[in-house]
Amino acid sequence: MKSKIKKIMSFIFIFAVLGGFAIFLAYLSSASLETAADEQVYESELKADEKQGYVKVLENDRLRLFFDPALVLLKIEDKESGSVWFSNPEKPENDKIAFGQNKSLIKSLLDVTYIDEQGSPYTVNSFMGSVSEKTYSCEIREDGVFIDFSFDDQGLEIPCFFTLSDDRFVARILSEDIKQHSKLKISKISLLPFFGAGGLDDDGYMMVPDGSGAIIKFNNDKQTYQPYIQPVYGKNLAVNLNTNLIKEQNATMPVFGIKKNDDAFLAVITKGEYQSELRADVSRKMTSNNTVYSSVVYIQSESNTLMAGSGDEETATMQSPQNTEGIYEVSYFFLQKNAGYTQMAARYRDYLAVEKGMKKQSEPQKTALIDFLGGIKVQKTFLGVPYRAVEPLTTFAEAGNILTDLQDSGVESLLGTMTFSAKNGTESKLPVKQTFEGKLGGKNGYKNMMSLLDKNDIGFYLINDPIYMKKSGAGYTGINAIRNVTRSEAVSYNYKLTTGKKDTSLPKSRIISSVYVPKIVTGLTNSCLRNNMDRLGLSSIGCVNYSDYRKKSISANKTGEYLESALNSADRVDHLLFEGAFAYSFPYADVITKAPVSSSRYDIEDMDIPFYEMVVSGYSSLYSDCVNLSGDEDCLLLRLAAFGVRPAFLVMSKEQSILQNTDYRKYYAASYSDNKEFILNTVSLFNKLDITAGKTITDFEWISEDLSMTTYDDGLVVLVNFSDKDTECCGITVKAKDFEVKEGTN
């Protein structure tokens, strides 16, 4: 009995042990499944990350930089905003619009244009020509990523470097280290053509610096129009231009930007901007992406007419010498959440102030500027013998009298300038020193005028042009002028409004080689200081871009260095004025005239914005081109009010009949007697904007197609109504074709 009981107890024990073991196994199995599930998720994430292949390269207080060495892609994380930016669209294989080479271009960091011995252009992108062929090398360094793209079929090697600096991602093409092993030559490289690109489902826009600035909206159904393409700082003056029928604005700043959903960045070309080009295009044309980017141009092409005037006339395309010196660099500044073009402007303004020395304006903006015509050179005869002599349109004494007359008539806040004031007027020599045309009153006449104006607190600038050589002399002749691609003399012509062709009947100018510009400007500046002149006006030097294609060529970038050196010398004068200033002259400008207040209005563009004015306002006083020569004065004045620019007027004391049978008939509407009432009425209208003088524009918005709102740094708001009907906004009524100021509105 005891034996049976023992056996039963033994079986019970065994079953209990087995049951416990089974429970334990079940627990282990359950835990194992849970662990496996966790591991599966982790492995899935790991595989996805491995598929992208991103490796963290660099991190600072604001940003993280990642690199995919297999596909050669870049990713930047903004730790502050949480935004993530990709060098290329994430899933290019899903793009149903892109085919062929465009499919591979979406995956590329570079798009390269090169030419053969005959000058015929070809393109290859970095994915198709290097990454897919595995002919590239990359190196992750302590300070960034180095990539050497080798295009074996073309015999080309292009080294690049990518890094971080504070709030910016920096992309560089190491141009000086480019290698070309064949007879093919690189003419242009587009850098990061798809960085931050917006897709079909994204909301946003691209900002381009066309004139005052323009917006191109994502997916705007304008894929049938030409893309936006502009050289930074305008066309290279050393490149021959046969026709110029279309009146365009210039790309005034080396910047562009993207607003994508809630995120935005501003890109600034921080090195090599004088040889750069901007391009923007919308989706549904070649790909599903909206893109804006920059290119560096190493070879310029120009068209020349051979055997002109003969029955065998032909057009030939010729290329300039290649220039790959230095580094091409673009810095991408990442902005806070919900930022837009106003924040882009603010970031660029800070960049110019901190890194380029742009200073707050030293005196308040005046209500209006009066630009006087001095002396013009005309054909005369004496005893039947023809000769050329200066015809005074406004003497110094007359200019002083006109300004004080306007002041006595109620125009309290005025600024004056004079064009063609130097010896020989319109045909003056290069200004190696400040001269004064005798028929305008000479040096003593100028001093007497300034004595009168100083008593009345009216500033005055004499305008000098150190770039265009209208006449040999002062130590400079045609030998010192620039050469075009064919190494013939590059000449600046006027163009006929009807045909766009060169008007050879009008005076033409040579362009001085940039190597001489610092010496010319230094001499002029020294002369001003000796004459106790604290104001200097400069035309052309602040808004030109050119090379010199003589045997020892001077690149556009080198010209930029010479121009900036000259401006630094001129900065010894207390107040500097520039006409139509580009960004490289912003740090030196106290006054900017002919400020752009529109874009070129290309078909692809959707909206004009005062990006230029938002950057410069509060740092320089801004004045328009001459209002009285405008074809639509009312519309221009409203735009000036919206953009924070003051009106300028071109004036001469003589009547318009004096210009008949001269080369200067275009100034027919400049007579003071004909313009006085218009000037007084305009200034009366703009007096209410004096409260904005010296303030910075911090926001701008088109409330509707016909109503704009400009906000200044103290909360002051200017509302402009472009329509034919009164409208209400911000609790006030704005009359038709008028503007109103509202203080303290946020």
Side-chain angles (χ1 to χ4, degrees):
M1 186 68 179
K2 289 181 178 179
S3 172
K4 287 183 179 179
I5 291 172
K6 189 180 285 187
K7 285 182 179 180
I8 291 171
M9 292 298 292
S10 178
F11 277 118
I12 291 172
F13 176 78
I14 290 171
F15 278 118
V17 170
L18 289 174
F21 185 69
I23 293 171
F24 177 70
L25 287 177
Y27 168 79
L28 288 178
S29 176
S30 174
S32 176
L33 287 172
E34 289 177 6
T35 302
D38 288 341
E39 288 178 352
Q40 186 174 2
V41 171
Y42 174 76
E43 287 176 0
S44 175
E45 291 174 352
L46 185 64
K47 286 177 181 177
D49 205 35
E50 286 176 349
K51 185 178 181 181
Q52 293 295 319
Y54 283 115
V55 177
K56 187 171 78 171
V57 173
L58 199 60
E59 182 173 1
N60 63 21
D61 292 340
R62 174 73 184 270
L63 304 171
R64 296 188 186 97
L65 173 63
F66 296 85
F67 175 58
D68 182 338
L71 297 177
V72 191
L73 302 172
L74 298 160
K75 178 175 73 171
I76 298 92
E77 291 182 0
D78 186 341
K79 296 190 292 183
E80 190 170 300
S81 68
S83 305
V84 180
W85 294 94
F86 294 90
S87 60
N88 302 78
E90 292 184 78
K91 296 180 179 180
E93 64 277 2
N94 293 343
D95 194 320
K96 297 180 180 179
I97 296 175
F99 291 97
Q101 187 169 332
N102 290 328
K103 201 79 168 181
S104 62
L105 180 59
I106 299 175
K107 308 173 187 177
S108 299
L109 301 188
L110 304 178
D111 189 21
V112 183
T113 303
Y114 61 93
I115 59 173
D116 60 18
E117 290 182 278
Q118 286 72 44
S120 300
Y122 303 89
T123 60
V124 62
N125 60 64
S126 58
F127 184 85
M128 179 178 64
S130 184
V131 175
S132 65
E133 299 294 325
K134 302 189 186 308
T135 57
Y136 68 95
S137 62
C138 57
E139 180 184 350
I140 298 177
R141 300 175 178 174
E142 289 185 1
D143 57 344
V145 181
F146 172 82
I147 308 171
D148 190 8
F149 293 102
S150 181
F151 300 84
D152 285 2
D153 289 347
Q154 291 78 23
L156 306 173
E157 287 184 47
I158 304 173
C160 300
F161 186 71
F162 304 92
T163 188
L164 301 176
S165 178
D166 299 324
D167 64 339
R168 71 191 77 173
F169 161 62
V170 182
R172 298 182 185 127
I173 298 174
L174 308 180
S175 302
E176 58 198 4
D177 295 325
I178 287 176
K179 295 180 176 62
Q180 299 169 111
H181 303 291
S182 67
K183 294 182 179 180
L184 302 177
K185 290 184 177 181
I186 298 172
S187 62
K188 180 170 68 174
I189 302 176
S190 297
L191 177 61
L192 301 180
F194 285 87
F195 187 89
L200 295 174
D201 297 325
D202 290 314
D203 182 37
Y205 55 77
M206 298 164 280
M207 186 283 298
V208 294
D210 177 17
S212 64
I215 293 300
I216 302 172
K217 295 179 181 179
F218 285 179
N219 313 311
N220 62 4
D221 293 327
K222 294 185 177 182
Q223 58 268 24
T224 58
Y225 296 127
Q226 292 293 317
Y228 166 82
I229 304 175
Q230 275 191 316
V232 171
Y233 301 150
K235 295 180 175 67
N236 191 317
L237 299 178
V239 176
N240 182 52
L241 188 65
N242 285 324
T243 59
N244 188 25
L245 189 58
I246 301 174
K247 178 64 175 176
E248 297 173 310
Q249 297 285 342
N250 291 310
T252 52
M253 296 162 279
V255 302
F256 57 92
I258 278 183
K259 162 75 170 176
K260 182 178 177 181
N261 301 319
D262 296 330
D263 300 318
F265 72 76
L266 169 75
V268 180
I269 305 171
T270 40
K271 290 183 181 177
E273 69 268 30
Y274 293 90
Q275 286 180 205
S276 63
E277 179 183 271
L278 302 177
R279 181 181 180 116
D281 212 349
V282 294
S283 62
R284 298 188 177 94
K285 184 180 289 185
M286 296 186 296
T287 73
S288 298
N289 299 282
N290 305 272
T291 61
V292 59
Y293 55 93
S294 71
S295 306
V296 53
V297 179
Y298 299 120
I299 297 177
Q300 291 276 359
S301 298
E302 72 173 27
S303 297
N304 287 277
T305 303
L306 306 179
M307 303 178 69
S310 70
D312 299 322
E313 184 176 296
E314 293 183 5
T315 300
T317 301
M318 301 179 183
Q319 279 75 35
S320 71
Q322 186 187 53
N323 172 61
T324 56
E325 62 191 17
I327 293 172
Y328 184 69
E329 178 182 279
V330 181
S331 297
Y332 297 78
F333 296 85
F334 302 105
L335 309 177
Q336 301 297 327
K337 280 289 183 183
N338 301 310
Y341 59 79
T342 57
Q343 288 77 22
M344 295 178 194
R347 187 62 187 89
Y348 188 46
R349 185 170 60 242
D350 290 344
Y351 166 81
L352 290 172
V354 174
E355 300 185 38
K356 296 295 184 179
M358 187 171 73
K359 303 176 289 293
K360 283 280 189 178
Q361 63 189 74
S362 57
E363 57 185 18
Q365 188 175 33
K366 305 298 183 181
T367 309
L369 180 143
I370 309 298
D371 182 20
F372 294 97
L373 290 169
I376 59 171
K377 212 64 174 297
V378 297
Q379 192 77 20
K380 294 190 175 184
T381 59
F382 179 72
L383 299 177
V385 179
Y387 69 99
R388 292 182 70 78
V390 172
E391 181 69 50
L393 301 182
T394 314
T395 65
F396 293 128
E398 289 167 340
N401 291 335
I402 288 173
L403 289 172
T404 54
D405 179 54
L406 286 171
Q407 197 171 61
D408 292 340
S409 301
V411 185
E412 296 181 1
S413 180
L414 275 174
L415 191 67
T417 62
M418 183 176 283
T419 307
F420 311 141
S421 63
K423 188 176 180 180
N424 289 314
T426 51
E427 295 182 11
S428 60
K429 302 172 185 177
L430 284 168
V432 296
K433 62 180 180 180
Q434 183 65 66
T435 62
F436 310 86
E437 169 53 41
K439 290 188 177 180
L440 304 184
K443 186 175 181 179
N444 288 333
Y446 169 76
K447 286 184 175 181
N448 292 336
M449 176 192 70
M450 290 307 303
S451 178
L452 173 65
L453 297 182
D454 287 343
K455 291 177 183 178
N456 290 273
D457 192 29
I458 300 175
F460 198 90
Y461 293 83
L462 298 182
I463 308 298
N464 291 274
D465 188 342
I467 301 296
Y468 287 95
M469 184 165 51
K470 305 172 185 67
K471 185 178 180 180
S472 296
Y476 298 96
T477 67
I479 296 174
N480 309 111
I482 65 172
R483 300 294 186 268
N484 60 24
V485 172
T486 61
R487 292 186 182 168
S488 59
E489 193 173 71
V491 178
S492 174
Y493 287 92
N494 290 288
Y495 291 85
K496 297 178 181 178
L497 294 176
T498 52
T499 63
K501 293 185 177 180
K502 296 173 183 175
D503 190 344
T504 55
S505 66
L506 293 178
K508 57 189 178 183
S509 302
R510 301 183 180 98
I511 302 161
I512 192 70
S513 184
S514 59
V515 69
Y516 305 109
V517 175
K519 183 179 179 181
I520 294 169
V521 173
T522 297
L524 176 61
T525 304
N526 291 340
S527 176
C528 288
L529 295 175
R530 286 194 303 269
N531 284 286
N532 297 315
M533 299 171 65
D534 62 353
R535 298 175 188 272
L536 174 60
L538 294 169
S539 64
S540 302
I541 190 173
C543 58
V544 289
N545 185 25
Y546 61 94
S547 305
D548 185 0
Y549 296 121
R550 58 183 67 241
K551 189 172 183 180
K552 290 185 179 180
S553 64
I554 300 172
S555 69
N557 280 333
K558 193 65 180 177
T559 288
E561 292 179 17
Y562 285 128
L563 295 180
E564 291 183 39
S565 174
L567 295 177
N568 190 56
S569 178
D571 201 34
R572 293 176 292 147
V573 175
D574 290 344
H575 305 285
L576 290 176
L577 176 151
F578 297 99
E579 293 183 352
F582 292 157
Y584 66 83
S585 57
F586 287 173
Y588 308 94
D590 295 283
V591 175
I592 296 174
T593 63
K594 301 182 180 179
V597 291
S598 72
S599 69
S600 301
R601 295 172 181 163
Y602 297 125
D603 290 334
I604 197 172
E605 296 172 340
D606 293 295
M607 183 171 66
D608 286 358
I609 58 171
F611 191 88
Y612 184 104
E613 287 75 14
M614 286 189 285
V615 170
V616 181
S617 59
Y619 288 79
S620 298
S621 295
L622 299 174
Y623 299 92
S624 70
D625 210 340
C626 298
V627 176
N628 54 318
L629 299 187
S630 167
D632 190 349
E633 297 163 353
D634 292 339
C635 182
L636 176 58
L637 291 174
L638 292 174
R639 189 166 280 263
L640 298 185
F643 283 23
V645 178
R646 297 297 180 266
F649 306 89
L650 187 67
V651 164
M652 62 180 180
S653 66
K654 299 295 189 295
E655 297 302 318
Q656 63 186 42
S657 58
I658 199 171
L659 298 176
Q660 290 179 1
N661 302 318
T662 73
D663 297 327
Y664 304 97
R665 293 184 295 275
K666 63 181 179 180
Y667 300 131
Y668 70 94
S671 173
Y672 174 63
S673 61
D674 293 336
N675 283 281
K676 180 179 177 179
E677 185 177 354
F678 174 63
I679 294 172
L680 293 175
N681 290 337
T682 302
V683 171
S684 176
L685 182 68
F686 273 78
N687 278 335
K688 57 187 172 184
L689 292 179
D690 286 347
I691 194 173
T692 67
K695 295 179 172 63
T696 297
I697 298 174
T698 55
D699 197 11
F700 177 86
E701 182 181 359
W702 287 104
I703 303 297
S704 67
E705 186 177 349
D706 295 318
L707 180 66
S708 70
M709 181 168 70
T710 309
T711 305
Y712 288 84
D713 50 14
D714 62 350
L716 184 145
V717 166
V718 177
L719 296 163
V720 182
N721 182 6
F722 290 83
S723 74
D724 296 322
K725 297 180 180 179
D726 296 355
T727 187
E728 286 194 13
C729 186
C730 298
I732 59 176
T733 299
V734 188
K735 293 181 179 179
K737 303 288 185 182
D738 201 356
F739 55 89
E740 293 293 339
V741 178
K742 185 176 177 64
E743 295 186 55
T745 300
N746 292 320

